[in-house]
């Protein structure tokens, strides 16, 4: 499996995803500023992956600090954390990682400076490993719904590249193929405008040895009609309490087309992506992105100057189109997700079983 | 309105669509070989438009022939027609245009050579004008279904550029806006992989002064869900006797999404595009096009080397998703199309009326 980011011999090795799939290049970060640059310039992307990068960046920055006292050390670590936070100010996972490191530091104030430097490396490793474990769990629960011989449609990239490893939507594919020995193949939507499916998903599945076919987003419906797709698995940016799923633009269309053809539509959703505070997907503000993503492709203008553009970053798929959500605690019907809030819930009683 | 091709001062003026929308350049063809080159190199595309170009090319070739007798003239015109035919050997409209010119020549053998040269110019003009009249009729029938204030979704390019003028899918838009003074706007799918919507449809509607917004194909569903689309009008490559519609890949998805949201889905179908010999769309062989269209955009590789691709040129939308077909004889339900075969049919009794 491709490594997106790792701590190796005192350095952070980061795969530069911005030049994939044409070049596979790891950036060797010996300075936390290089890690910050990588987050900023989208060498690394995907919510879990940038959280991991943030933690590793802070750990890397800590190594170079020369301080006589713990107070001095912590004071000198502040600008490192600020710089990491400033890379992508709205990224929830970076903020989460920084908060986690701060709590960790507060809990280990009694240690020596040399010891805390080591512990920070360990903590950033833990964040990576926990993410991988969550994805493996999602993968094992989800893989139960993948049958031998299945063709799986996916949209955008919710793969290894976006996480510490295994990905979310790709984890059930990897587990079905690698752990369970099921013969599967994947159809990857190219996912306009940013083409994550073409550039990243198809590449990483090829690396993992899973047969993958790339299509334009326009083609999925025709393949469903021909009976060539057995199920769809996608990721989610945010899932609300009622089971509505916000994900990359085009996901809603995939879901509607699946229902029209009687094809199960699954969403791989780590519990961290479920926003229990939000009642429904209608409440999620939809980010509009720059028109350039639509009107130019790699600097080549493809549309008239001055044309009006609507470029929505994601759309919301209502719960009624979602067959099941794959989480690290099991596969659940979207309407049962809210029950996970209750501490007394018997998970076994609401887990969805494969037919 | 933009002129795609016209006869002007003894020359054929052809808009080079291959460089649109970045450059607007008319190629001045003083030799029939230039017209043939234009068809071959896709300076001109769209079934009706290349039929018109073929006829004008033959007329242009005829002007330069020096012949003592009609037999000699006709013999010297043969290689001109062969060269035009060879530009795109599978194009039905080129074949149709050549056959029409041949019949025309047979019917006018008694004329002088100088006269027949003039008549050929007139005949190619007639083909252009008849196409425009058909499109205007489609436009007037279709425009009845467009209400003041409507937002119309379209897919691919079935516009002026693909025809002699007015287009098929765009004709109801132009008639509603220009003849009937209705305030409308159009949302144009960019239409991957070849981006006809981004490059051509949005450009020609801007030229015509109709407000147009460009979106990725992934975005249409989200806009429908937000109530931002009132109706869809698309063109057709071929419609079968039962009302099934073959059109650019992605059209089927648009149709399904329209039905899911209760949005009328209209198809502009000149009678020449209806294949009464074919019982259903399932019988239409679907052309697969080269993977390069998906994996490279303007020479820039966007997908891994060696990735498998399925690139279907078009898909088939079953009649049940089609609200109405706009033809030059009126708007009809898809199930009534086959009745047009009967000579005794009372068109008025099967014409669809706007609500």
């Amino acid at each position: 499996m491709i490594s997106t980011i790792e701590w190796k011999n005192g350095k952070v090795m980061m795969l530069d995803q911005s030049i994939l799939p044409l070049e596979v290049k790891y950036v060797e970060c010996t300075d936390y500023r290089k890690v910050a640059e990588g987050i900023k310039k989208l060498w690394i992307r995907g919510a879990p992956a940038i959280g991991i990068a943030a933690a590793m960046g802070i750990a890397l920055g800590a190594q170079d600090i020369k301080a006589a006292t713990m107070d001095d050390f912590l004071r000198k670590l502040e600008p490192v954390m600020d710089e990491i936070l400033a890379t992508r100010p709205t990224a929830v996972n970076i903020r989460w990682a920084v908060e986690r490191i701060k709590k960790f530091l507060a809990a280990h104030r009694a240690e020596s400076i040399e010891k805390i430097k080591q512990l920070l490396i360990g903590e950033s490793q833990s964040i990576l490993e926990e993410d991988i474990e969550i994805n493996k769990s999602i993968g094992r629960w989800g893989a139960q719904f993948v049958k031998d011989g299945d063709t799986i449609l996916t949209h955008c990239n919710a793969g290894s590249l976006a996480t510490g490893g295994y990905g979310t939507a790709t984890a059930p594919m990897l587990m079905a193929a690698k752990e369970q020995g099921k013969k599967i193949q994947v159809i990857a939507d190219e996912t306009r405008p940013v083409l994550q499916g073409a550039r990243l998903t198809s590449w990483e599945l090829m690396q993992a040895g899973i047969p993958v076919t790339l299509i334009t987003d326009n083609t999925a419906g025709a393949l469903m009609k021909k009976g060539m797709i057995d199920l769809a698995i996608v990721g989610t940016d945010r899932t609300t309490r009622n089971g509505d799923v916000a994900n990359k633009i085009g996901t809603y269309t995939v879901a509607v087309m699946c229902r029209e053809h009687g094809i199960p539509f699954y969403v791989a959703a780590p519990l961290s992506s479920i926003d229990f505070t939000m009642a429904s997907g209608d409440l999620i503000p939809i980010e509009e992105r720059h028109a350039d993503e639509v009107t130019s492709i790699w600097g080549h203008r493809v549309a008239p100057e001055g044309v009006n553009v609507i470029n929505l970053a994601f759309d919301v798929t209502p719960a009624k189109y979602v067959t099941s959500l794959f989480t690290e605690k099991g596969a659940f019907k979207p309407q049962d997700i809210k029950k996970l809030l209750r501490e007394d819930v018997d998970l076994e009683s609401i887990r969805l079983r494969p037919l």
Side-chain angles (χ1 to χ4, degrees), chain A:
Chain A
M1 201 181 54
I2 285 298
S3 163
T4 306
I5 185 165
E6 64 181 326
W7 188 279
K8 203 170 174 180
N9 307 328
K11 299 167 202 154
V12 176
M13 302 297 289
M14 185 189 284
L15 178 61
D16 181 356
Q17 299 186 35
S18 70
I19 52 176
L20 283 179
L22 304 182
E23 277 183 69
V24 181
K25 197 184 88 186
Y26 281 88
V27 180
E28 195 178 279
C29 308
T30 53
D31 184 306
Y32 79 92
R33 287 181 190 87
K34 200 79 180 172
V35 177
E37 186 185 355
I39 299 172
K40 207 175 216 162
K41 293 190 175 163
L42 305 184
W43 299 342
I44 190 162
R45 30 64 62 194
I50 59 175
I52 296 159
M56 288 192 177
I58 296 167
L60 191 61
Q63 306 308 308
D64 291 337
I65 291 176
K66 289 180 184 44
T69 65
M70 181 56 81
D71 276 350
D72 190 27
F73 173 80
L74 293 177
R75 202 163 38 240
K76 285 172 171 161
L77 195 56
E78 279 295 332
V80 174
M81 293 196 275
D82 289 347
E83 197 167 327
I84 294 283
L85 265 176
T87 52
R88 291 183 63 184
T90 60
V92 175
N93 286 61
I94 293 178
R95 190 158 296 276
W96 169 85
V98 170
E99 289 307 316
R100 176 161 163 168
I101 296 291
K102 281 185 178 171
K103 275 184 202 152
F104 183 84
L105 288 166
H108 293 81
R109 286 189 66 102
E111 304 288 351
S112 71
I113 291 170
E114 277 320 299
K115 179 73 196 247
I116 204 88
K117 286 182 178 180
Q118 283 310 305
L119 287 175
L120 280 174
I121 297 172
E123 184 65 3
S124 70
Q125 286 277 30
S126 296
I127 292 176
L128 170 65
E129 282 158 19
E130 288 165 24
D131 183 59
I132 291 176
E133 284 311 309
I134 286 168
N135 296 339
K136 284 166 84 170
S137 290
I138 290 172
R140 290 196 182 105
W141 288 113
Q144 298 181 47
F145 295 81
V146 178
K147 292 186 299 297
D148 194 35
D150 272 354
T151 299
I152 305 168
L153 176 71
T154 192
H155 190 75
C156 197
N157 178 264
S160 305
L161 292 169
T163 65
Y166 289 86
T168 55
T170 51
M173 305 169 191
L174 293 166
M175 287 300 176
K178 303 295 173 187
E179 279 202 354
Q180 304 177 353
K182 292 170 184 165
K183 207 173 136 73
I184 60 157
Q185 62 163 328
V186 177
I187 308 248
D189 277 351
E190 65 174 4
T191 319
R192 279 282 289 151
V194 185
L195 296 168
Q196 292 92 340
R199 295 189 297 112
L200 306 177
T201 305
S202 64
W203 180 78
E204 70 167 80
L205 291 173
M206 285 172 81
Q207 299 303 312
I210 293 183
V212 58
T213 296
L214 177 65
I215 59 172
T216 64
D217 306 300
N218 278 328
T219 308
L223 298 188
M224 290 184 195
K225 184 150 161 282
K226 288 163 166 276
M228 289 169 67
I229 291 169
D230 298 296
L231 68 157
I233 310 177
V234 302
T236 174
D237 287 321
R238 174 143 54 155
T239 291
T240 52
R241 195 165 65 225
N242 67 339
D244 290 352
V245 171
N247 192 44
K248 184 65 60 200
I249 190 75
T251 302
Y252 171 58
T253 298
V254 171
V256 171
M257 296 304 287
C258 278
R259 204 174 68 157
E260 185 75 9
H261 296 87
I263 296 168
F265 176 80
Y266 299 113
V267 178
L271 291 174
S272 64
S273 71
I274 300 174
D275 186 344
F276 290 101
T277 69
M278 202 170 261
S280 108
D282 298 335
L283 303 169
I284 303 176
I286 306 274
E287 177 194 353
E288 260 199 75
R289 294 177 57 86
H290 203 281
D292 278 357
E293 288 184 353
V294 180
T295 56
S296 293
I297 301 177
W298 270 273
H300 185 101
R301 182 104 196 160
V302 296
E305 289 294 337
V307 69
N308 190 37
V309 169
I310 299 178
N311 181 20
L312 306 178
F314 56 91
D315 57 28
V316 175
T317 300
K320 70 170 177 174
Y321 296 101
V322 178
T323 309
S324 175
L325 290 151
F326 298 155
T327 78
E328 62 269 40
K329 299 279 186 202
F332 303 103
K333 286 189 202 159
Q335 61 266 37
D336 285 339
I337 279 292
K338 60 180 175 296
K339 296 180 185 162
L340 297 177
L341 271 180
R342 290 172 15 202
E343 290 197 359
D344 64 338
V345 70
D346 172 17
L347 287 180
E348 203 50 32
S349 72
I350 57 169
R351 273 198 192 111
L352 206 66
R353 300 256 159 252
L355 292 179

